[in-house]
Amino acid sequence: MAFPYIRTMGTEVDAFLGQLARRLRPQVKKLAGLLLQRLNGELPELWENADIEALTLEETAQHVTALLDLLEARPGPSAPEAPPAALDIARLYARRGIPVSRLLRAYRLDHLTLLEQLQAEAPRLTDDWRMINLATVRLVAIGFDYVDRSSEEVVAAYQEERDRLLRRRLALTDRASKRIGTTLDISRTAEELTEVCTEDFADLVTVDLFDSALDQTGTGPPEALTQRRVAQRSILDDCPESPLRVGGTHTYPDDSEPVRALTTGRSVLHHIAGTEMPPWVAPSESHGRALRDLGLHSVLLVPLHARGEILGLVQFVRHRTSAPFDDDDLLLAQEIVSRAAVSIDNARRYTHERSTALALQRTLLPRNTVKHAAVETAARYLPAGSRAGVGGDWYDVIPLSGARVALVVGDVVGHGLRAAATMGRLRTAVRAFADIDLMPDELLTHLDDVVIRMQREESPDEGETSATCLYAIYDPVSRRCSLASAGHVPPTVVTPSKISEALPGVPIGPPLGLGGLPFETAEFELPEDSLLVLHTDGLIAGRTRDVDQGLATLHDVLTSAPDSLEEICDRLLDALLPGHPADDVALLVARTHALDPDHVATMDLPSDPAAVSGARRFASDVLTAWGLDDLSFTTELVVSELVTNAIRYGKSPIQLRLILQSTLTCEVSDASSTAPHLRRARIYDEGGRGLLLVAQCAERWGTRHGREGKVIWAEQALPADNASTAEVT
């Protein structure tokens, strides 16, 4: 059973504590000051920032008031909630990264000091030590119960704020992973880093890269500490915190924190106290005053480190955000910068490789518009604007014997330096095969063998070489075009009636590199002034457009094509590629011309040695009619030797043809496939000197094979006074 005097004594203790609380209430500020004075001696690090000091003073006063209210109100089993300032300071500690244990230690010291003050005040109200002892026990129980309950709320608020910060940091990391490195452009990647980190992490972000890291030729000195500002972003307009503009160069003082960060590769967290403003932060006094007015208080310096190389430095600055950077912020910044560094390094390497591949590509392509009497041409090459980079597309215009011309367009599968180098090898091979005057299908067959040999030379991790190619030959004498395709889209033809159409009946053979499959040559006649449009598939195919749509657009443009071939190329690119092409593009537009019939002379010859003299007279008469009497002697000599060889070693029918274009060409054709060869005759040999004489008299000579025999040809340069006779109509 309960003892009545105990209940009575408990009531008297509660009344005594209420009286004690009322006596001390006017001294709340004094008591709070005493508590803060003790805290300042025990935990001085809590007073490093003015906002923490002000909030701690308010919190302490609220705690004193809450405990006095509790004593005066004679509490029941439940204690009041922690005061609002206590929850605010818990959240502030969480944002500052101060361990919650320091906060709880401050609570224990506060309440211990307050209990001591209450206990010291009790003897002034009574000299009954029994009452004082009972009140002290009751006071300790109430005080520590209040501390325990308020601590639980404070820890919950602290953890809630830490969880919120963790979620924010995870969200920032997630945004950074999605938004940084979306392109292979160095400047854009750096801008993405500044955009992400100024949303809710820093008030100013700058990205500086070494000039040597930006040097695409790789010749910059790696020890040079000159940096270039590639991106910066502030929460304020016009970035007033930075005296440097994007694109400007600068160097940091040798003994500064940024230089130490760059040379050691270690990140730096730097707090700026009071009016201190290091020279590397504010290079001038006026700039220092501006930064002090803004309230700049902390800086993170994080080196851009990728693949064992330091590329530059990222600075994160806070001035509007009251919370300074802490160690957690430094770790977060390092994680974001490390991801950005890899993306920047990828962009840097891609830019270097792309520039190299593009230079190689442009070196291998024709540098100037090829002038040829048989065709007028214009061409374009556009490298890919996506991550794919420079590819292996190419075009070519190759003069052939007999006033003919070869038009070539091709596409090597893949991108980068390897594709560009492969393109160069194939283009060289095509020119070599064209020099021996192979038919289009035969040329592609030999080119297919070249690709197969290249595949055998490759290592397994390089990928298989493959390509497509279209090879066309146009003859201005007959106005006939013969072409063959190795997996390549056929050209489009526009006749003088301005009707655009795909060439009918052009068989598309397999891509180069498959081997064992035949190619076919298609022949057709072209009216004079027809347009031939050759291109790679990057011109008509895209991510949002299929090939049929691209061809329809191409035909629409060509239907109303202007006279200028350069303008035709521009219109096609504007219509089909309004933005950066997803794949590289080669475009070749040719307008065909016909050779004036008066500039071609033909004579059929019998297989009789007596016909040689008649051939010489025929050649002499033709040259007189053309006003080329100065070439009569050498031409008669060339004709005599070529006709004699055809009669002696060839088969009927035999034909002599003279062609006047930019050069004078003598051709002798026969039905035999046996080709002559140049050799050195011995002193007493009666023959074997004919081709040697031809080679000495002509600028070029050679043999081309056709379906029904061969043609031996020789070209001579025209005299300067007769250059006008080479014009075609």
Side-chain angles (χ1 to χ4, degrees), residues 605 612 615 635-650 654-658 665-670 676 690-691 693-695 698 700-703 710-715:
L605 299 171
V612 175
T635 303
E636 289 182 30
L637 181 59
V638 170
V639 168
S640 177
E641 296 300 333
L642 295 183
V643 171
T644 299
N645 279 342
I647 293 173
R648 180 177 297 179
Y649 304 109
I654 301 172
Q655 186 183 74
L656 168 65
R657 186 169 71 163
L658 300 176
T665 304
C666 300
E667 295 182 346
V668 176
S669 61
D670 66 84
L691 288 181
L693 292 174
V694 172
R700 295 196 312 147
W701 75 278
T703 304
K710 66 177 183 297
V711 176
I712 310 297
W713 55 270
E715 289 183 358

mmCIF file of all heavy atoms in Angstrom, residues 605 612 615 635-650 654-658 665-670 676 690-691 693-695 698 700-703 710-715:
data_model
loop_
_atom_site.group_PDB
_atom_site.id
_atom_site.type_symbol
_atom_site.label_atom_id
_atom_site.label_comp_id
_atom_site.label_asym_id
_atom_site.label_seq_id
_atom_site.Cartn_x
_atom_site.Cartn_y
_atom_site.Cartn_z
ATOM 1 N N LEU A 605 40.598 -1.340 -141.708
ATOM 2 C CA LEU A 605 41.791 -1.812 -142.415
ATOM 3 C C LEU A 605 41.710 -3.324 -142.648
ATOM 4 O O LEU A 605 41.282 -4.068 -141.761
ATOM 5 C CB LEU A 605 43.050 -1.501 -141.597
ATOM 6 C CG LEU A 605 43.337 -0.010 -141.314
ATOM 7 C CD1 LEU A 605 44.472 0.133 -140.313
ATOM 8 C CD2 LEU A 605 43.671 0.717 -142.606
ATOM 9 N N VAL A 612 49.267 -0.577 -144.559
ATOM 10 C CA VAL A 612 49.953 0.325 -143.638
ATOM 11 C C VAL A 612 50.171 1.689 -144.277
ATOM 12 O O VAL A 612 49.981 2.738 -143.637
ATOM 13 C CB VAL A 612 51.292 -0.286 -143.195
ATOM 14 C CG1 VAL A 612 52.066 0.698 -142.329
ATOM 15 C CG2 VAL A 612 51.057 -1.592 -142.449
ATOM 16 N N ALA A 615 47.065 3.692 -144.235
ATOM 17 C CA ALA A 615 46.766 4.203 -142.903
ATOM 18 C C ALA A 615 47.579 5.455 -142.611
ATOM 19 O O ALA A 615 47.081 6.409 -141.998
ATOM 20 C CB ALA A 615 47.055 3.118 -141.864
ATOM 21 N N THR A 635 52.922 11.207 -135.799
ATOM 22 C CA THR A 635 51.668 10.453 -135.838
ATOM 23 C C THR A 635 51.748 9.336 -136.875
ATOM 24 O O THR A 635 51.282 8.213 -136.630
ATOM 25 C CB THR A 635 50.494 11.396 -136.148
ATOM 26 O OG1 THR A 635 50.444 12.433 -135.173
ATOM 27 C CG2 THR A 635 49.182 10.643 -136.143
ATOM 28 N N GLU A 636 52.328 9.637 -138.067
ATOM 29 C CA GLU A 636 52.457 8.597 -139.091
ATOM 30 C C GLU A 636 53.329 7.455 -138.586
ATOM 31 O O GLU A 636 53.052 6.273 -138.846
ATOM 32 C CB GLU A 636 53.057 9.188 -140.363
ATOM 33 C CG GLU A 636 52.118 10.110 -141.128
ATOM 34 C CD GLU A 636 52.750 10.622 -142.412
ATOM 35 O OE1 GLU A 636 53.583 9.879 -142.980
ATOM 36 O OE2 GLU A 636 52.432 11.753 -142.807
ATOM 37 N N LEU A 637 54.367 7.802 -137.807
ATOM 38 C CA LEU A 637 55.244 6.770 -137.252
ATOM 39 C C LEU A 637 54.477 5.896 -136.258
ATOM 40 O O LEU A 637 54.565 4.657 -136.282
ATOM 41 C CB LEU A 637 56.446 7.412 -136.577
ATOM 42 C CG LEU A 637 57.483 6.454 -135.950
ATOM 43 C CD1 LEU A 637 58.048 5.513 -137.008
ATOM 44 C CD2 LEU A 637 58.596 7.246 -135.287
ATOM 45 N N VAL A 638 53.712 6.532 -135.404
ATOM 46 C CA VAL A 638 52.931 5.785 -134.408
ATOM 47 C C VAL A 638 51.902 4.908 -135.105
ATOM 48 O O VAL A 638 51.733 3.719 -134.785
ATOM 49 C CB VAL A 638 52.257 6.757 -133.417
ATOM 50 C CG1 VAL A 638 51.249 6.014 -132.551
ATOM 51 C CG2 VAL A 638 53.296 7.457 -132.553
ATOM 52 N N VAL A 639 51.176 5.473 -136.086
ATOM 53 C CA VAL A 639 50.155 4.708 -136.803
ATOM 54 C C VAL A 639 50.788 3.520 -137.517
ATOM 55 O O VAL A 639 50.257 2.395 -137.507
ATOM 56 C CB VAL A 639 49.408 5.628 -137.796
ATOM 57 C CG1 VAL A 639 48.553 4.793 -138.759
ATOM 58 C CG2 VAL A 639 48.538 6.627 -137.040
ATOM 59 N N SER A 640 51.920 3.752 -138.144
ATOM 60 C CA SER A 640 52.590 2.687 -138.884
ATOM 61 C C SER A 640 52.928 1.516 -137.963
ATOM 62 O O SER A 640 52.683 0.344 -138.292
ATOM 63 C CB SER A 640 53.846 3.229 -139.552
ATOM 64 O OG SER A 640 54.554 2.194 -140.216
ATOM 65 N N GLU A 641 53.493 1.801 -136.795
ATOM 66 C CA GLU A 641 53.886 0.736 -135.879
ATOM 67 C C GLU A 641 52.678 0.013 -135.298
ATOM 68 O O GLU A 641 52.664 -1.221 -135.191
ATOM 69 C CB GLU A 641 54.752 1.309 -134.750
ATOM 70 C CG GLU A 641 56.081 1.880 -135.207
ATOM 71 C CD GLU A 641 56.949 0.828 -135.886
ATOM 72 O OE1 GLU A 641 56.809 -0.382 -135.594
ATOM 73 O OE2 GLU A 641 57.789 1.224 -136.717
ATOM 74 N N LEU A 642 51.639 0.757 -134.915
ATOM 75 C CA LEU A 642 50.473 0.120 -134.303
ATOM 76 C C LEU A 642 49.698 -0.723 -135.313
ATOM 77 O O LEU A 642 49.260 -1.841 -135.008
ATOM 78 C CB LEU A 642 49.554 1.181 -133.686
ATOM 79 C CG LEU A 642 50.118 1.988 -132.502
ATOM 80 C CD1 LEU A 642 49.054 2.940 -131.958
ATOM 81 C CD2 LEU A 642 50.611 1.073 -131.396
ATOM 82 N N VAL A 643 49.549 -0.205 -136.558
ATOM 83 C CA VAL A 643 48.824 -0.964 -137.580
ATOM 84 C C VAL A 643 49.619 -2.213 -137.974
ATOM 85 O O VAL A 643 49.061 -3.304 -138.164
ATOM 86 C CB VAL A 643 48.526 -0.070 -138.800
ATOM 87 C CG1 VAL A 643 47.968 -0.903 -139.956
ATOM 88 C CG2 VAL A 643 47.535 1.033 -138.417
ATOM 89 N N THR A 644 50.933 -2.061 -138.089
ATOM 90 C CA THR A 644 51.770 -3.212 -138.443
ATOM 91 C C THR A 644 51.641 -4.320 -137.401
ATOM 92 O O THR A 644 51.501 -5.512 -137.738
ATOM 93 C CB THR A 644 53.233 -2.778 -138.570
ATOM 94 O OG1 THR A 644 53.342 -1.802 -139.604
ATOM 95 C CG2 THR A 644 54.127 -3.964 -138.878
ATOM 96 N N ASN A 645 51.669 -3.955 -136.118
ATOM 97 C CA ASN A 645 51.520 -4.956 -135.050
ATOM 98 C C ASN A 645 50.164 -5.639 -135.113
ATOM 99 O O ASN A 645 50.050 -6.855 -134.913
ATOM 100 C CB ASN A 645 51.708 -4.310 -133.680
ATOM 101 C CG ASN A 645 53.171 -4.142 -133.317
ATOM 102 O OD1 ASN A 645 54.038 -4.788 -133.901
ATOM 103 N ND2 ASN A 645 53.454 -3.256 -132.375
ATOM 104 N N ALA A 646 49.097 -4.852 -135.376
ATOM 105 C CA ALA A 646 47.762 -5.427 -135.432
ATOM 106 C C ALA A 646 47.637 -6.407 -136.596
ATOM 107 O O ALA A 646 47.018 -7.465 -136.474
ATOM 108 C CB ALA A 646 46.728 -4.307 -135.554
ATOM 109 N N ILE A 647 48.229 -6.049 -137.774
ATOM 110 C CA ILE A 647 48.144 -6.934 -138.943
ATOM 111 C C ILE A 647 48.985 -8.189 -138.725
ATOM 112 O O ILE A 647 48.580 -9.301 -139.074
ATOM 113 C CB ILE A 647 48.595 -6.170 -140.200
ATOM 114 C CG1 ILE A 647 47.592 -5.056 -140.527
ATOM 115 C CG2 ILE A 647 48.750 -7.115 -141.381
ATOM 116 C CD1 ILE A 647 48.033 -4.146 -141.660
ATOM 117 N N ARG A 648 50.155 -8.005 -138.115
ATOM 118 C CA ARG A 648 51.066 -9.141 -137.969
ATOM 119 C C ARG A 648 50.611 -10.096 -136.857
ATOM 120 O O ARG A 648 50.682 -11.323 -137.014
ATOM 121 C CB ARG A 648 52.463 -8.624 -137.677
ATOM 122 C CG ARG A 648 53.519 -9.740 -137.501
ATOM 123 C CD ARG A 648 54.904 -9.166 -137.297
ATOM 124 N NE ARG A 648 55.332 -8.417 -138.473
ATOM 125 C CZ ARG A 648 56.509 -7.787 -138.559
ATOM 126 N NH1 ARG A 648 57.325 -7.791 -137.507
ATOM 127 N NH2 ARG A 648 56.848 -7.135 -139.659
ATOM 128 N N TYR A 649 50.130 -9.549 -135.714
ATOM 129 C CA TYR A 649 49.857 -10.408 -134.562
ATOM 130 C C TYR A 649 48.373 -10.485 -134.179
ATOM 131 O O TYR A 649 48.005 -11.329 -133.362
ATOM 132 C CB TYR A 649 50.634 -9.909 -133.332
ATOM 133 C CG TYR A 649 52.121 -9.801 -133.571
ATOM 134 C CD1 TYR A 649 52.729 -8.548 -133.673
ATOM 135 C CD2 TYR A 649 52.906 -10.944 -133.704
ATOM 136 C CE1 TYR A 649 54.102 -8.433 -133.890
ATOM 137 C CE2 TYR A 649 54.273 -10.839 -133.931
ATOM 138 C CZ TYR A 649 54.863 -9.586 -134.016
ATOM 139 O OH TYR A 649 56.214 -9.490 -134.232
ATOM 140 N N GLY A 650 47.560 -9.594 -134.754
ATOM 141 C CA GLY A 650 46.166 -9.572 -134.364
ATOM 142 C C GLY A 650 45.256 -10.300 -135.321
ATOM 143 O O GLY A 650 45.691 -11.055 -136.183
ATOM 144 N N ILE A 654 40.199 -5.045 -138.141
ATOM 145 C CA ILE A 654 41.176 -4.079 -137.637
ATOM 146 C C ILE A 654 40.674 -2.686 -137.978
ATOM 147 O O ILE A 654 40.203 -2.451 -139.104
ATOM 148 C CB ILE A 654 42.560 -4.335 -138.263
ATOM 149 C CG1 ILE A 654 43.043 -5.757 -137.932
ATOM 150 C CG2 ILE A 654 43.566 -3.307 -137.776
ATOM 151 C CD1 ILE A 654 44.309 -6.151 -138.663
ATOM 152 N N GLN A 655 40.800 -1.785 -137.012
ATOM 153 C CA GLN A 655 40.292 -0.419 -137.230
ATOM 154 C C GLN A 655 41.264 0.596 -136.647
ATOM 155 O O GLN A 655 41.831 0.399 -135.573
ATOM 156 C CB GLN A 655 38.923 -0.244 -136.570
ATOM 157 C CG GLN A 655 38.262 1.107 -136.882
ATOM 158 C CD GLN A 655 36.939 1.283 -136.166
ATOM 159 O OE1 GLN A 655 36.914 1.508 -134.969
ATOM 160 N NE2 GLN A 655 35.848 1.144 -136.917
ATOM 161 N N LEU A 656 41.448 1.670 -137.393
ATOM 162 C CA LEU A 656 42.243 2.802 -136.932
ATOM 163 C C LEU A 656 41.298 3.942 -136.582
ATOM 164 O O LEU A 656 40.395 4.263 -137.365
ATOM 165 C CB LEU A 656 43.231 3.253 -138.013
ATOM 166 C CG LEU A 656 43.937 4.604 -137.788
ATOM 167 C CD1 LEU A 656 44.839 4.554 -136.561
ATOM 168 C CD2 LEU A 656 44.720 5.010 -139.033
ATOM 169 N N ARG A 657 41.509 4.553 -135.400
ATOM 170 C CA ARG A 657 40.668 5.680 -134.996
ATOM 171 C C ARG A 657 41.554 6.781 -134.423
ATOM 172 O O ARG A 657 42.422 6.522 -133.576
ATOM 173 C CB ARG A 657 39.632 5.251 -133.957
ATOM 174 C CG ARG A 657 38.637 6.356 -133.623
ATOM 175 C CD ARG A 657 37.462 5.868 -132.808
ATOM 176 N NE ARG A 657 37.837 5.532 -131.430
ATOM 177 C CZ ARG A 657 36.969 5.398 -130.433
ATOM 178 N NH1 ARG A 657 35.665 5.542 -130.682
ATOM 179 N NH2 ARG A 657 37.385 5.077 -129.230
ATOM 180 N N LEU A 658 41.312 8.010 -134.920
ATOM 181 C CA LEU A 658 42.001 9.200 -134.417
ATOM 182 C C LEU A 658 40.981 10.072 -133.684
ATOM 183 O O LEU A 658 39.891 10.339 -134.203
ATOM 184 C CB LEU A 658 42.638 9.987 -135.556
ATOM 185 C CG LEU A 658 43.683 9.255 -136.400
ATOM 186 C CD1 LEU A 658 44.156 10.143 -137.543
ATOM 187 C CD2 LEU A 658 44.860 8.836 -135.544
ATOM 188 N N THR A 665 44.752 11.307 -129.854
ATOM 189 C CA THR A 665 44.828 9.885 -129.537
ATOM 190 C C THR A 665 44.756 9.067 -130.821
ATOM 191 O O THR A 665 43.856 9.278 -131.654
ATOM 192 C CB THR A 665 43.679 9.470 -128.601
ATOM 193 O OG1 THR A 665 43.707 10.282 -127.422
ATOM 194 C CG2 THR A 665 43.808 8.002 -128.199
ATOM 195 N N CYS A 666 45.703 8.139 -130.953
ATOM 196 C CA CYS A 666 45.688 7.169 -132.048
ATOM 197 C C CYS A 666 45.342 5.812 -131.460
ATOM 198 O O CYS A 666 46.027 5.339 -130.537
ATOM 199 C CB CYS A 666 47.041 7.095 -132.744
ATOM 200 S SG CYS A 666 47.576 8.657 -133.471
ATOM 201 N N GLU A 667 44.283 5.176 -131.994
ATOM 202 C CA GLU A 667 43.859 3.873 -131.515
ATOM 203 C C GLU A 667 43.815 2.881 -132.676
ATOM 204 O O GLU A 667 43.309 3.216 -133.761
ATOM 205 C CB GLU A 667 42.471 3.939 -130.876
ATOM 206 C CG GLU A 667 42.388 4.780 -129.624
ATOM 207 C CD GLU A 667 40.989 4.753 -129.018
ATOM 208 O OE1 GLU A 667 40.034 4.298 -129.706
ATOM 209 O OE2 GLU A 667 40.843 5.198 -127.866
ATOM 210 N N VAL A 668 44.317 1.683 -132.423
ATOM 211 C CA VAL A 668 44.200 0.594 -133.390
ATOM 212 C C VAL A 668 43.598 -0.593 -132.654
ATOM 213 O O VAL A 668 44.167 -1.056 -131.655
ATOM 214 C CB VAL A 668 45.567 0.223 -133.990
ATOM 215 C CG1 VAL A 668 45.423 -0.975 -134.919
ATOM 216 C CG2 VAL A 668 46.153 1.406 -134.744
ATOM 217 N N SER A 669 42.462 -1.068 -133.118
ATOM 218 C CA SER A 669 41.775 -2.183 -132.474
ATOM 219 C C SER A 669 41.767 -3.397 -133.385
ATOM 220 O O SER A 669 41.794 -3.280 -134.620
ATOM 221 C CB SER A 669 40.329 -1.789 -132.141
ATOM 222 O OG SER A 669 39.606 -1.471 -133.317
ATOM 223 N N ASP A 670 41.773 -4.579 -132.756
ATOM 224 C CA ASP A 670 41.631 -5.830 -133.508
ATOM 225 C C ASP A 670 40.926 -6.838 -132.611
ATOM 226 O O ASP A 670 40.678 -6.569 -131.425
ATOM 227 C CB ASP A 670 42.994 -6.346 -133.960
ATOM 228 C CG ASP A 670 43.868 -6.768 -132.801
ATOM 229 O OD1 ASP A 670 43.711 -7.919 -132.357
ATOM 230 O OD2 ASP A 670 44.699 -5.942 -132.318
ATOM 231 N N PRO A 676 50.467 -6.730 -126.728
ATOM 232 C CA PRO A 676 51.907 -6.558 -126.955
ATOM 233 C C PRO A 676 52.577 -6.060 -125.690
ATOM 234 O O PRO A 676 51.927 -5.553 -124.771
ATOM 235 C CB PRO A 676 51.962 -5.516 -128.063
ATOM 236 C CG PRO A 676 50.738 -4.686 -127.839
ATOM 237 C CD PRO A 676 49.678 -5.634 -127.336
ATOM 238 N N GLY A 690 59.263 -1.527 -132.419
ATOM 239 C CA GLY A 690 58.095 -0.707 -132.759
ATOM 240 C C GLY A 690 57.477 -0.025 -131.548
ATOM 241 O O GLY A 690 57.261 1.196 -131.535
ATOM 242 N N LEU A 691 57.161 -0.789 -130.480
ATOM 243 C CA LEU A 691 56.551 -0.185 -129.301
ATOM 244 C C LEU A 691 57.503 0.757 -128.582
ATOM 245 O O LEU A 691 57.071 1.717 -127.946
ATOM 246 C CB LEU A 691 56.067 -1.279 -128.339
ATOM 247 C CG LEU A 691 54.829 -2.064 -128.804
ATOM 248 C CD1 LEU A 691 54.441 -3.098 -127.767
ATOM 249 C CD2 LEU A 691 53.656 -1.109 -129.048
ATOM 250 N N LEU A 693 59.556 2.752 -130.138
ATOM 251 C CA LEU A 693 59.399 4.011 -130.871
ATOM 252 C C LEU A 693 58.105 4.713 -130.483
ATOM 253 O O LEU A 693 58.066 5.941 -130.325
ATOM 254 C CB LEU A 693 59.436 3.738 -132.374
ATOM 255 C CG LEU A 693 60.789 3.277 -132.956
ATOM 256 C CD1 LEU A 693 60.627 2.916 -134.436
ATOM 257 C CD2 LEU A 693 61.836 4.364 -132.787
ATOM 258 N N VAL A 694 57.033 3.913 -130.339
ATOM 259 C CA VAL A 694 55.744 4.506 -129.939
ATOM 260 C C VAL A 694 55.864 5.152 -128.560
ATOM 261 O O VAL A 694 55.384 6.271 -128.325
ATOM 262 C CB VAL A 694 54.634 3.434 -129.937
ATOM 263 C CG1 VAL A 694 53.350 4.001 -129.323
ATOM 264 C CG2 VAL A 694 54.371 2.950 -131.349
ATOM 265 N N ALA A 695 56.514 4.471 -127.633
ATOM 266 C CA ALA A 695 56.661 4.999 -126.278
ATOM 267 C C ALA A 695 57.484 6.283 -126.273
ATOM 268 O O ALA A 695 57.245 7.181 -125.452
ATOM 269 C CB ALA A 695 57.310 3.949 -125.379
ATOM 270 N N ALA A 698 55.090 9.130 -128.011
ATOM 271 C CA ALA A 698 53.828 9.470 -127.350
ATOM 272 C C ALA A 698 54.067 9.829 -125.885
ATOM 273 O O ALA A 698 55.057 9.424 -125.270
ATOM 274 C CB ALA A 698 52.861 8.295 -127.449
ATOM 275 N N ARG A 700 51.699 9.035 -123.538
ATOM 276 C CA ARG A 700 51.210 7.833 -122.870
ATOM 277 C C ARG A 700 50.792 6.823 -123.928
ATOM 278 O O ARG A 700 50.386 7.191 -125.034
ATOM 279 C CB ARG A 700 49.997 8.143 -121.990
ATOM 280 C CG ARG A 700 50.262 9.047 -120.812
ATOM 281 C CD ARG A 700 49.100 8.972 -119.806
ATOM 282 N NE ARG A 700 47.804 9.107 -120.463
ATOM 283 C CZ ARG A 700 46.678 8.492 -120.063
ATOM 284 N NH1 ARG A 700 46.708 7.690 -119.017
ATOM 285 N NH2 ARG A 700 45.535 8.689 -120.703
ATOM 286 N N TRP A 701 50.883 5.578 -123.600
ATOM 287 C CA TRP A 701 50.346 4.551 -124.472
ATOM 288 C C TRP A 701 49.921 3.357 -123.608
ATOM 289 O O TRP A 701 50.329 3.228 -122.456
ATOM 290 C CB TRP A 701 51.367 4.114 -125.529
ATOM 291 C CG TRP A 701 52.469 3.231 -124.958
ATOM 292 C CD1 TRP A 701 53.598 3.609 -124.311
ATOM 293 C CD2 TRP A 701 52.483 1.807 -124.991
ATOM 294 N NE1 TRP A 701 54.340 2.534 -123.926
ATOM 295 C CE2 TRP A 701 53.688 1.395 -124.338
ATOM 296 C CE3 TRP A 701 51.643 0.821 -125.520
ATOM 297 C CZ2 TRP A 701 54.036 0.053 -124.191
ATOM 298 C CZ3 TRP A 701 51.993 -0.509 -125.385
ATOM 299 C CH2 TRP A 701 53.181 -0.895 -124.719
ATOM 300 N N GLY A 702 49.083 2.513 -124.144
ATOM 301 C CA GLY A 702 48.627 1.378 -123.366
ATOM 302 C C GLY A 702 47.690 0.490 -124.154
ATOM 303 O O GLY A 702 47.454 0.697 -125.356
ATOM 304 N N THR A 703 47.147 -0.478 -123.441
ATOM 305 C CA THR A 703 46.233 -1.454 -124.027
ATOM 306 C C THR A 703 44.990 -1.544 -123.169
ATOM 307 O O THR A 703 45.069 -1.546 -121.934
ATOM 308 C CB THR A 703 46.889 -2.845 -124.091
ATOM 309 O OG1 THR A 703 48.115 -2.751 -124.808
ATOM 310 C CG2 THR A 703 45.977 -3.850 -124.779
ATOM 311 N N LYS A 710 40.950 -6.145 -128.354
ATOM 312 C CA LYS A 710 41.747 -5.178 -127.607
ATOM 313 C C LYS A 710 41.938 -3.922 -128.440
ATOM 314 O O LYS A 710 41.675 -3.892 -129.653
ATOM 315 C CB LYS A 710 43.110 -5.769 -127.269
ATOM 316 C CG LYS A 710 44.001 -6.035 -128.485
ATOM 317 C CD LYS A 710 45.350 -6.550 -128.081
ATOM 318 C CE LYS A 710 46.269 -6.743 -129.291
ATOM 319 N NZ LYS A 710 45.774 -7.741 -130.245
ATOM 320 N N VAL A 711 42.398 -2.884 -127.768
ATOM 321 C CA VAL A 711 42.715 -1.610 -128.410
ATOM 322 C C VAL A 711 44.099 -1.182 -127.912
ATOM 323 O O VAL A 711 44.346 -1.134 -126.706
ATOM 324 C CB VAL A 711 41.683 -0.523 -128.077
ATOM 325 C CG1 VAL A 711 42.111 0.807 -128.681
ATOM 326 C CG2 VAL A 711 40.300 -0.914 -128.566
ATOM 327 N N ILE A 712 45.010 -0.879 -128.863
ATOM 328 C CA ILE A 712 46.303 -0.291 -128.524
ATOM 329 C C ILE A 712 46.200 1.194 -128.824
ATOM 330 O O ILE A 712 45.835 1.586 -129.936
ATOM 331 C CB ILE A 712 47.452 -0.909 -129.339
ATOM 332 C CG1 ILE A 712 47.382 -2.440 -129.278
ATOM 333 C CG2 ILE A 712 48.779 -0.409 -128.809
ATOM 334 C CD1 ILE A 712 47.560 -3.000 -127.913
ATOM 335 N N TRP A 713 46.536 2.025 -127.847
ATOM 336 C CA TRP A 713 46.354 3.455 -128.019
ATOM 337 C C TRP A 713 47.632 4.207 -127.623
ATOM 338 O O TRP A 713 48.456 3.702 -126.855
ATOM 339 C CB TRP A 713 45.173 3.971 -127.198
ATOM 340 C CG TRP A 713 45.274 3.621 -125.728
ATOM 341 C CD1 TRP A 713 44.797 2.518 -125.107
ATOM 342 C CD2 TRP A 713 45.930 4.413 -124.717
ATOM 343 N NE1 TRP A 713 45.105 2.524 -123.772
ATOM 344 C CE2 TRP A 713 45.791 3.694 -123.502
ATOM 345 C CE3 TRP A 713 46.607 5.631 -124.719
ATOM 346 C CZ2 TRP A 713 46.307 4.169 -122.310
ATOM 347 C CZ3 TRP A 713 47.131 6.099 -123.531
ATOM 348 C CH2 TRP A 713 46.974 5.371 -122.343
ATOM 349 N N ALA A 714 47.749 5.409 -128.172
ATOM 350 C CA ALA A 714 48.876 6.291 -127.849
ATOM 351 C C ALA A 714 48.393 7.726 -127.903
ATOM 352 O O ALA A 714 47.634 8.108 -128.809
ATOM 353 C CB ALA A 714 50.026 6.079 -128.822
ATOM 354 N N GLU A 715 48.809 8.535 -126.922
ATOM 355 C CA GLU A 715 48.377 9.926 -126.830
ATOM 356 C C GLU A 715 49.562 10.856 -127.038
ATOM 357 O O GLU A 715 50.664 10.594 -126.549
ATOM 358 C CB GLU A 715 47.756 10.208 -125.458
ATOM 359 C CG GLU A 715 46.405 9.558 -125.236
ATOM 360 C CD GLU A 715 45.821 9.947 -123.887
ATOM 361 O OE1 GLU A 715 46.508 10.688 -123.149
ATOM 362 O OE2 GLU A 715 44.705 9.505 -123.573
#
